[in-house]
Amino acid sequence: MQALENFLAKGVLTSDRLIRFVQCSNTASNDSGPSSGQPVPSWDCCVEEFMSTVLKWISYTDLAPTAGHLFSAFFRVLEKQQTQETPYYNSVNGSPLWTSPVLQTVKTNPDTLEALRHQVFSKIFRLRTADFRKYLQALGIDNVLSGSPVTNDEYQTLLLFSVLQSGKDLGLVQGSGASIEDSNRSSDAVIVSDTIVGRLLPNSSPVVRIASLSLLITSPSILNPFSVEALSLLRYHLEGFYADTDAKFRTDVLSLSKRLIERVKGAMSYLSRELSRMQRPEKLQRGKEPCQRSVEETQARLRQHTDFLTWYISFLLAKLRPTAPYQLHITSLKALNLMIKAGVGDPMGPERISRSLHKGLASPLLTRNLLDLLMDPFDDVRSAAAVALKGTASTMVFMEGVELKQNPSQAINSKPSDVALPPGNISVGLESLTNYLFLSRAEALAHRTGRADHSDGVARSWELVFESCKTGGISASSISSHGGDGSNSLLLVVEQIILRLENNLAIASEDLAAAVASNPVHAQFVSLRYIFDRPDFYSFISGLDRNNFNSWKNLHYRAIGACHAVWQIVRSVLCDDAPEGHMPEDFEGGGEDISTKDLLSYSWRALKEASSLLKIIISKAPYSASPDIAVLDVSHIRLIGDITFIQLADLRHRGAFSTVSLTFASCCQRCSQSIDADIRSMPILWYKQTLDRIRDQASAITRRSAGLPSLVTGILSANLEGAFFTDVMADLQLIAQAPVQTTDDSEVELPQVHALNCLKDIFRGAKLSAISEPYIAGALDLAATSLSSHAWPIRNCGMMLLRALIDRLLGNSEPQMSQDPEAAMRSLKLDYKKYTNLPNLLVRLLDIGTPHKQQVETGETQATIQAVLPASAAIEGVFPALEILRRAGAPEGHSGLFQGLVLGHLSSDKWLVRDMAARTYCSLMHPADYVQEVERVLGFSSLSQNAYHGRLLCVRYILEASQMVIKDSWNDYGESLLTLLDEFYVNLIPWNSAPATMAAYLETINTLLTFLLKSGATNLTDRVPQIISRFQIFEDMQQNTALLIQSSTEIRDSSFPVNLWAESSLLRPAVAWFMSVYYCTTSRYDLLGKLVLLLSREDPDAACAFLDRMEQALLPAMFHKELQSGLCHVIIETSSLAVRSLCVSKLNNSLENSPPDALPVALLKSAEAVTLAFASAASTAGPSTADAALIFHGHVLSLEIFGDDDSSDTLGRKLFSYSRMLSFAGHESKDYTTREAAANSLKAFKAGFRPRGSYPRTLPCFLGLYFTLYDILNDDDDEIRDKGAEVVSWILSDPSKDNMPTISLIPLAASRKLADFLVENYTQSSQLHDEALMRVVGQQLQVESFPQSKASASSSDSKALDFRPFKEILSKYLKEDTTLFVEEKQNLFVDPVREIDIWSQVLLRLSSVPITSASSLTSKFTTWVSEGLETLLSATADHDTDGPLGWTTKPEVFALGIRVICAAGVVLEWGERENDKILDRAVIENIRGRLESLTELGQKRRLHEMWIERLEELRGPRSR
């Protein structure tokens, strides 16, 4: 492709000649042309075919740029060289010839869209702007610009918005109002208004959403200001983009966020300069007074951008709240880091702008949120928070200069009066430095819980302390009494960490239970690792004076000693053969409740972190012969190597030795790079010790040799010299080939197992791949020999070695045979000449069980193989040989030999071997020989039953692989193929007593028939009944179908062996499928239903398999009303619960794909009644039945309510019962399938929400279903939320355009719009009032029965609703959970604060009617609010200073505070409705007073800044 591109670019090759070459090539390969009577392909077809071939390579990452360059180069040349005979445009539709290949590529593989956008569109669209506009019109841009729904063609829609996105990058697409000067806009650009883009921002398609956001944000110039509407749209929709659960989508959003920040900054800079230019005095003196309107407009635009950037900062801070989901946390943190890197807040215009933005990035709220997130459960969140803290000006706020008078353990409970703020000139010792509030709380929390996330948070905090000392945030004079430079400060920080580590290790050595319970060492090890791993750490200490440098050396020695000490402590736990349940005999739990899980977690994490620290030290610490510049000496390098060697040799915990192996490899690498002979010789010594370990641990063969293979690979990775590697391979092969020896005490020692496992890891390692390449052939022989061992462990390890070698030769994944079988086989073609022993090895593995000889030529030699393997090893060796042949093909020149060997295994007595051999034999054929091979395979007689069965399997796979050949050449091959199959039946099958053989034959016929049905070729599909009837078996099946399916032996004298076949569970589904194809193609659905019913009575499992196959294989058009009726009858009549459940599922799918407008509702109701009756019986019905019944109920109810009076109590009762069922099934505590069933049921009922062509139903009885639908939108699983969003989109779409819905929403946007819909249509509903009230306070509304009258439905007075006391809830939430393994929340998606805000707004927008009618509930609500505020006042007074990691940081407590504050805001607003007089003035003043008190006290006690912000908004008089 590169050569062709260069030839085209240099003019060596013209586009015309290139295509003529393609034409000649196609003519030669297809034997077409004038002489053959077939037409010559046209110019258009040749160009499009060739370009489609080029674009096939666009899906490969490494070839995509080359393919894109060739594609664009060809059309660039063609555009210049076009003639009447060789046009640039299609002669039929007038579009450029590149349009069809692009669309076809997207349809074939939608994943190529991103590569097309970057490698093709960016080049091809520059050729002719007019073509770009035409292409957009062909893709449906006019629908988008007019606000109409986009096309129903999914691929065309994806392509359209990808093209728009590329056009925006190139300046060919622009937004409306995007620049102040209209002259900046290209006259050829496509204008897409911001209003149109705004409608697409919440679209459910990720491609449409990201393209729409790109249209809104990107601009050819970063100085181009945004329109007011664009900024407004970003404010409204940005949360939905940041909260998306797809990581790749969020990455794209962050990329656009970076461009957003740059463009806003650039626009503000441009507008500031413009404003300064307009207001310059010299301009006024020249008599050119600027237009006042222009000045005001520019000022307004500048203010809009400044306000937006200020809002954006506030938006990011708000999304860092404790209750926000992971997606918002990580995306907001990364966006915040982008802002910091972009220098937002630095001087970039007017000083007032810089100050306002800098204030947002240096606010206490930002610091509080970032510090709290240092203890987040997700590692990337903690990492991003630490990066943000380093980058903001507020990094030092968490070390506020606060000197605590107590020790760290007392700091948690200290009062504000106990905290002193020392003057700036008072020196504070290091002990005071570590007593800062956050760090003290973080360490105390990590000690209490021992969790990995808390330990990592403490470590990142210490690293921030180190960073602050180094950058001057804390000067030496302010933190150290030692005076001097800042290096003392850094030294003291690390010394304090090591002191804590040594103290905890001392406790662990004395009382391991106490250490596990409350003195973990993980935080200290991780802290040291973060500090030592800093890029500038060792360069910094290398530049210090000798005294300071020696102090750092001593700290390193103490750290190494601590790593050795922790190994001695945890060794007995991790070296047991079964460490998961092991409790050391000398372990005493004392008064602590320590489980084996706690002990194991402490032990392996301690060793893991210690080993990781050693890895950093051995990899980065300087070494030299001179002690003045070296941190490590020979003894310490040897010590680290010996420690890790012993650990790998003795460990049995996989999680532990997988980490230690990296450390040992780094140690060996460091040794190999040294110029010191003693150090360079250490790996050799360790290798000799490894060989001793292999022999000494010959009887310990658990855990796949544990860490021994890691020892060998670690040593080899550092010593890649050929001689040493050769010696190692020879030693391991010698051990692996040694005969098995038995000791006197009958204990079997198998060092061969360890050697084989070491060899396996050598060939698996990527680093050793090049040097191990010459040894693959020998390893193949060794693996094959091991398969013949009588010791199962050796055979097992030999199989794993062979598996590793196969993966090495062919890759570790199956080829994508379905897309391009020939290309896949070519890509996996194995060079047998490179591995000359491989053909003989394959023969050896395949030629088993007989003493005959096979000869294979390999190069110039000839080898004779005699293989008689043990029966137990036969199967184990056949499978890998068959897999190699199946994936790589046969050696050149030996296809016949290997086909014969494989053909022999079709007679195996093992079903799996026959099946694998059949697949392999099929892969060894050339596609053109498929039909001829059928004759060869079937052309045998007097074979065993296994042989018949295997050959029929082979024919079946040949038919599956030759579908395209059969489709294109049916007239040539079809008749002969049918004749072969029919003759095989006539000659062998009727007299064959084996039902498996009969079943295999029928499945072969079924495979052919199924392909013909799905081929899409009308001439084949219409002939299926004729093809079926021509088979001799059809007549026999038609007469004996019932007898074959039933377990009957009524006709014993029949020549047809029904009595011998009837018992076969294999034959029943094959017979049923054969006849069902005939019934479906001849519209005999009544017989099909009877067939399913008959099969379900005799063999429910076969009936279920048959139903699954029927749905997958038959065309959707075949699911007519008659078939749906047949399924209904089966549901009613069958006694099999499994069959009934599956029939309901299939009927659900059918009803969803083709709504049964004419299907009798009575029949559906009858089937539903039976299904619900069984589903309600918990003792007989399983979850699948209940789930299917729930979905079916949605379908039936949506049809049934058409005949009910809208105001009838019957409809209300049905919907009430239905909503209760859905609410129960959709609860977050239910499993995924049950919740999905609830969502699918609502999806089935969507026509009940809004009938086609009508407006949504807003009757009171539907409100409960709308609440359930809203809850579905907040489910934890993406797929369930998307189903709910689809229903909401249907409800809110324009009823006049039901053929193409006008709205397609993501779940977050759908929930917001659904809440708006409820307020607009139920503004006077007491039920909505009650539900919103309970959702604000976080409690569930219990409605046990359907309201008996309209009065009770419109009033809440009679309902026994009681709020759970606020004090009780707060007490529960304040209890700390110190368990090591925390149970994850059921729903990680829902954000309580967001829900509170939505439903409090619903309450504020309701009319006064439901509020006054529910006076009792309103009174309880105001009482709950008042008591809640009083409880918060008491809690604030009782607790110490809040701040980071304070008592309001806990998500449950934080959300509870937001609840009562928002509820108070609702009460205040209700009280200000003067005309309605909903609440007493005294109540309002009481709540207002408590809000005032809480605000003042909260500011003193540093309550969460988000609480304070909301409280301050409620202070003082409120306006309506």
Side-chain angles (χ1 to χ4, degrees), residues 838-855:
L838 184 55
N840 282 326
L841 183 143
L842 294 175
V843 172
R844 202 165 99 202
L845 294 175
L846 291 173
D847 187 21
I848 58 175
T850 54
H852 69 277
K853 299 178 181 180
Q854 296 286 351
Q855 294 182 348

Side-chain angles (χ1 to χ4, degrees), residues 63-348:
L63 296 176
T66 305
H69 289 316
L70 175 58
F71 188 89
S72 58
F74 174 83
F75 284 105
R76 185 168 57 250
V77 172
L78 177 60
E79 193 268 340
K80 296 177 181 179
Q81 299 176 351
Q82 61 175 320
T83 63
Q84 187 174 359
E85 291 77 19
T86 60
Y88 178 79
Y89 296 97
N90 188 289
S91 58
V92 177
N93 55 30
S95 62
L97 290 174
W98 50 261
T99 58
S100 179
V102 168
L103 182 59
Q104 187 61 38
T105 301
V106 173
K107 288 185 176 181
T108 303
N109 187 5
D111 294 336
T112 60
L113 198 59
E114 191 72 14
L116 286 171
R117 191 168 71 84
H118 292 292
Q119 306 299 339
V120 174
F121 295 165
S122 59
K123 305 176 182 65
I124 205 72
F125 290 160
R126 289 192 176 100
L127 295 180
R128 292 190 177 186
T129 307
D131 291 342
F132 173 75
R133 296 180 65 93
K134 289 181 180 179
Y135 192 41
L136 284 178
Q137 290 174 349
L139 293 175
I141 187 62
D142 293 336
N143 289 338
V144 175
L145 296 179
S146 64
S148 302
V150 295
T151 175
N152 279 329
D153 189 330
E154 177 185 0
Y155 302 110
Q156 188 170 324
T157 301
L158 296 179
L159 188 56
L160 168 63
F161 284 94
S162 184
V163 169
L164 282 174
Q165 194 173 356
S166 298
K168 187 66 182 288
D169 294 336
L170 299 173
L172 301 176
V173 176
Q174 293 184 6
S176 60
S179 62
I180 293 179
E181 300 180 7
D182 292 335
S183 59
N184 292 340
R185 182 176 297 150
S186 172
S187 58
D188 295 329
V190 176
I191 307 301
V192 182
S193 70
D194 294 336
T195 303
I196 298 299
V197 175
R199 295 174 185 163
L200 301 172
L201 287 173
N203 194 279
S204 58
S205 169
V207 174
V208 174
R209 291 175 63 210
I210 205 69
S212 302
L213 187 63
S214 176
L215 290 174
L216 204 61
I217 290 177
T218 56
S219 174
S221 172
I222 63 170
L223 303 181
N224 204 8
F226 285 95
S227 67
V228 177
E229 187 174 6
L231 295 177
S232 176
L233 289 171
L234 287 171
R235 291 191 184 201
Y236 188 79
H237 292 287
L238 210 53
E239 180 180 0
F241 285 88
Y242 278 33
D244 198 276
T245 55
D246 182 21
K248 182 182 181 302
F249 182 86
R250 294 198 306 273
T251 301
D252 294 338
V253 170
L254 285 169
S255 177
L256 290 173
S257 297
K258 181 180 179 181
R259 301 176 76 168
L260 169 66
I261 296 167
E262 293 171 348
R263 185 175 168 190
V264 172
K265 275 190 60 183
M268 292 171 64
S269 177
Y270 164 75
L271 292 171
S272 298
R273 291 196 304 269
E274 285 295 299
L275 191 60
S276 300
R277 182 182 60 82
M278 292 177 181
Q279 297 175 336
R280 274 201 295 265
E282 58 269 21
K283 190 169 185 179
L284 297 177
Q285 292 174 1
R286 294 173 185 171
K288 298 180 181 180
E289 183 176 348
C291 175
Q292 184 65 26
R293 182 177 178 183
S294 298
V295 172
E296 292 177 355
E297 182 183 353
T298 304
Q299 288 175 335
R301 298 293 291 275
L302 177 59
R303 184 168 55 254
Q304 291 161 6
H305 285 71
T306 305
D307 291 344
F308 174 80
L309 201 52
T310 303
W311 168 87
Y312 185 58
I313 295 173
S314 301
F315 165 80
L316 295 179
L317 298 188
K319 303 314 169 189
L320 300 181
R321 57 180 176 257
T323 60
Y326 160 79
Q327 292 80 11
L328 278 177
H329 277 165
I330 189 62
T331 313
S332 300
L333 284 170
K334 290 181 177 180
L336 183 64
N337 287 327
L338 289 176
M339 294 193 70
I340 295 170
K341 290 180 181 179
V344 174
D346 291 341
M348 58 177 184

